[in-house]
């Protein structure tokens, strides 16, 4: 018998078909339903992109209006959930509190078990509306401030700033944030999306799948990299220290956060566009030193290792300059990626098969159980 081939990390394995997004190698471009993501970020608000991911087409003016009305109507969380948020330890990571809160939303929804497409779409809209409220309320509570009531007259991006800081900033800041949400929305079978698909493949429910996906996104090899990038930049502190820092990191074979990608080998197509938005933020907020540091890091890592920056590289400092605390960067990723996750959950359910791969066993041979008392310590 031939030895089974193992694909560690499922690298190079096609696990299913998907029509939601693709990186076209010819143009090195990530597309959602065929649209280049940079064009979506330039021409559409995040709400339009959410609609696209859940319906397969961009909305007309009327469709967008209706969709936004639905989302805005759901901008509320229960007093019970607010009580839960108040119980959390102030030092708990916001990804952990968000994960717990999303799981709690499942306990409050009498329709949690209904996996019909229209029921899941309704739940997805609720999650889209409520996740930002949870993130903003949790952040304020841990600073000893009271949550701010959401506003129905604002876009999702504007409303998030309003709930988080109590005011909506200049339009350039909102624009940069909104574009980052579009860039983060979807990326095919990445670790968290695949986690969501695996969970829903047992015919579990959307809350369980999203809760699991949040757990997966938290890791620094995945969504947690946007936080790690900013910690790295703060550690470097000044442009004058950047070259020595990166030379040492590469010489000692450290993973440099915000570089590398499983899918892109010649650079992440979202990066040049998001970098422009980050530079806008740096100029607006007196943060040009972060541009200088990033330029030194990226020239060196590309030059010496041919490894390119990924989206988290410009997003980390952009969020920092907007005033967000670092641990909330990955939760912001969640408030965007909920769109991709929900799209994949619904797609998986259209033609579901339980995900259950095999493992090549490399443990001990079969053996009898020794009764306690006769066992020798290993
Ligand atoms: N810094 C330094 N070296 C890196 C690197 C990085 N960020 N990313 C990859 N490499 C090197 C590895 O050390 C390895 O070198 P080796 O062959 O000499 O051992 C080689 O490139 C392949 O890396 P590997 O981790 O096996 O590739 P992967 O496809 O499994 O990893 C990531 C992809 C994203 C997990 C990886 O690039 C990484 O850890 N990046 C940093 C975290 C990050 O930014 N994550 C966000 C992803 S969007």
């Amino acid at each position: 018998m031939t030895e089974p081939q193992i694909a560690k990390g499922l690298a190079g394995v096609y696990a299913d078909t998907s029509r939601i997004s693709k990186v076209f190698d010819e143009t090195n471009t990530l597309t959602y339903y065929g649209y280049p993501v940079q064009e979506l970020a330039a021409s559409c608000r995040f709400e339009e992109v959410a609609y696209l991911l859940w319906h397969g087409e961009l909305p007309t003016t009327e469709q967008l209006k209706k969709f936004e009305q639905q989302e805005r109507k759901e901008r509320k969380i229960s007093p019970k959930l607010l009580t839960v948020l108040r119980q959390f330890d102030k030092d708990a990571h916001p990804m952990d509190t968000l994960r717990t809160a999303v799981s709690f939303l499942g306990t409050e929804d009498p329709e949690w078990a209904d996996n019909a497409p229209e029921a899941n779409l309704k739940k997805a809209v609720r999650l889209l509306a409520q996740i930002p409220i949870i993130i903003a309320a949790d952040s304020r509570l841990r600073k000893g401030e009271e949550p701010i009531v959401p506003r129905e007259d604002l876009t999702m991006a504007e409303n998030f700033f309003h709930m988080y800081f109590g005011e909506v900033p200049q339009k350039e800041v909102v624009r940069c944030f909104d574009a980052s949400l579009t860039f983060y929305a979807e990326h095919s079978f990445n670790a968290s999306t695949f986690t969501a698909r695996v969970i829903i493949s047992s015919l579990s429910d959307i809350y369980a799948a999203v809760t699991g996906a949040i757990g997966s996104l938290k890791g620094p090899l995945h969504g947690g990299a946007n936080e790690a990038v900013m910690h790295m930049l703060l550690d470097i502190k000044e442009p004058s220290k950047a070259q020595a820092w990166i030379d040492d990191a590469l010489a000692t074979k450290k993973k440099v956060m915000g570089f590398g990608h499983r899918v892109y080998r010649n650079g992440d197509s979202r990066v040049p566009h998001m970098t422009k938005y980050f530079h806008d933020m740096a100029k607006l907020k007196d943060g040009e030193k972060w541009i200088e540091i990033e330029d030194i890091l990226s020239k060196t890592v590309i030059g010496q290792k041919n490894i390119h920056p990924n989206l988290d590289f410009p997003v980390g400092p952009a969020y920092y300059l907007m005033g967000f605390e670092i641990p909330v960067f990955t939760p912001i990723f969640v408030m965007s990626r909920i769109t991709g996750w929900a799209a994949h959950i619904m797609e998986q359910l259209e033609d579901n098969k339980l995900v259950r791969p095999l493992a090549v066993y490399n443990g001990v041979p079969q053996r009898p159980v020794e009764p306690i008392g006769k066992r020798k310590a290993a």
Side-chain angles (χ1 to χ4, degrees):
M1 210 175 80
T2 52
E3 275 292 298
Q5 290 291 308
I6 297 170
K8 277 288 228 189
L10 299 184
V13 172
Y14 289 93
D16 209 333
T17 57
S18 178
R19 61 176 180 275
I20 301 167
S21 70
K22 176 177 167 63
V23 175
F24 282 93
D25 290 338
E26 312 86 273
T27 51
N28 196 32
T29 293
L30 172 63
T31 53
Y32 303 162
Y33 279 97
Y35 294 116
V37 67
Q38 60 273 15
E39 285 184 33
L40 290 169
S43 317
C44 304
R45 267 193 292 117
F46 174 60
E47 285 89 333
E48 296 170 66
V49 175
Y51 185 99
L52 169 70
L53 290 170
W54 293 346
H55 294 89
E57 292 296 342
L58 283 167
T60 61
T61 312
E62 272 313 300
Q63 286 167 331
L64 180 63
K65 200 168 150 205
K66 197 168 154 219
F67 181 67
E68 288 191 321
Q69 275 168 356
Q70 286 166 346
E71 185 274 317
R72 291 174 191 205
K73 264 211 327 268
E74 297 292 352
R75 285 184 188 172
K76 51 184 182 286
I77 57 170
S78 70
K80 256 206 227 158
L81 176 51
L82 203 53
T83 310
V84 171
L85 296 182
R86 290 183 195 280
Q87 312 302 311
F88 290 131
D89 196 296
K90 300 261 178 295
D91 296 330
H93 194 284
M95 279 298 270
D96 295 341
T97 53
L98 178 60
R99 190 194 61 228
T100 309
V102 167
S103 184
F104 186 85
L105 288 178
T107 69
E108 288 187 304
D109 186 347
E111 291 170 359
W112 64 267
D114 188 351
N115 267 331
E118 48 300 348
N120 272 335
L121 195 55
K122 236 170 38 187
K123 287 181 256 184
V125 172
R126 247 178 259 156
L127 285 164
L128 181 69
Q130 293 171 352
I131 285 172
I133 303 175
I134 294 166
I135 299 169
D138 179 52
S139 155
R140 292 186 69 84
L141 287 170
R142 67 180 68 230
K143 288 181 279 194
E145 298 164 347
E146 274 306 296
I148 294 176
V149 178
R151 275 173 52 182
E152 285 188 28
D153 59 324
L154 298 176
T155 66
M156 280 196 67
E158 290 167 343
N159 183 49
F160 187 65
F161 282 104
H162 157 72
M163 292 188 298
Y164 199 98
F165 297 112
E167 61 184 12
V168 180
Q170 302 102 302
K171 64 177 187 330
E172 292 81 1
V173 179
V174 175
R175 191 72 211 87
C176 173
F177 185 74
D178 191 272
S180 78
L181 297 181
T182 290
F183 287 127
Y184 266 147
E186 157 61 9
H187 216 197
S188 194
F189 279 23
N190 57 81
S192 58
T193 302
F194 195 60
T195 302
R197 289 188 77 126
V198 170
I199 293 175
I200 205 68
S201 83
S202 73
L203 299 184
S204 180
D205 66 86
I206 192 169
Y207 297 101
V210 172
T211 301
I214 294 173
S216 167
L217 190 76
K218 184 185 176 193
L221 296 188
H222 191 8
N226 59 11
E227 297 178 31
V229 164
M230 199 58 226
H231 286 300
M232 173 180 76
L233 297 180
L234 289 170
D235 187 36
I236 297 170
K237 271 197 199 85
E238 295 302 330
S240 60
K241 300 195 174 131
Q243 194 62 56
W245 190 97
I246 191 65
D247 288 343
D248 176 67
L250 294 181
T252 54
K253 292 202 170 301
K254 272 197 201 115
K255 274 262 167 96
V256 188
M257 289 296 135
F259 284 85
H261 202 278
R262 179 61 66 76
V263 175
Y264 301 101
R265 291 298 175 198
N266 294 311
D268 179 333
S269 62
R270 301 164 295 178
V271 169
H273 304 277
M274 190 60 218
T275 301
K276 283 200 197 107
Y277 289 110
F278 154 49
H279 287 187
D280 290 347
M281 280 311 92
K283 283 169 201 146
L284 204 68
K285 305 272 182 184
D286 204 15
E288 270 113 332
K289 76 169 183 176
W290 305 119
I291 300 183
E292 283 181 61
I293 296 177
E294 287 221 333
D295 282 350
I296 294 167
L297 299 188
S298 79
K299 273 194 198 103
T300 310
V301 180
I302 296 170
Q304 291 191 24
K305 309 251 318 180
N306 197 26
I307 298 174
H308 292 255
N310 56 51
L311 182 60
D312 296 312
F313 197 58
V315 165
Y319 286 172
Y320 183 77
L321 290 164
M322 288 173 196
F324 292 112
E325 287 85 9
I326 297 174
V328 99
F329 292 4
T330 321
I332 294 173
F333 192 160
V334 173
M335 87 181 236
S336 160
R337 187 54 66 86
I338 178 62
T339 56
W341 290 336
H344 279 272
I345 288 166
M346 292 185 274
E347 187 180 61
Q348 176 71 31
L349 286 168
E350 280 170 20
D351 181 23
N352 186 52
K353 188 162 174 73
L354 178 72
V355 179
R356 205 303 186 192
L358 298 172
V360 175
Y361 179 66
N362 65 355
V364 295
Q366 185 169 324
R367 54 185 168 164
V369 175
E370 295 289 348
I372 192 142
K374 292 205 164 171
R375 291 172 212 158
K376 295 191 187 77

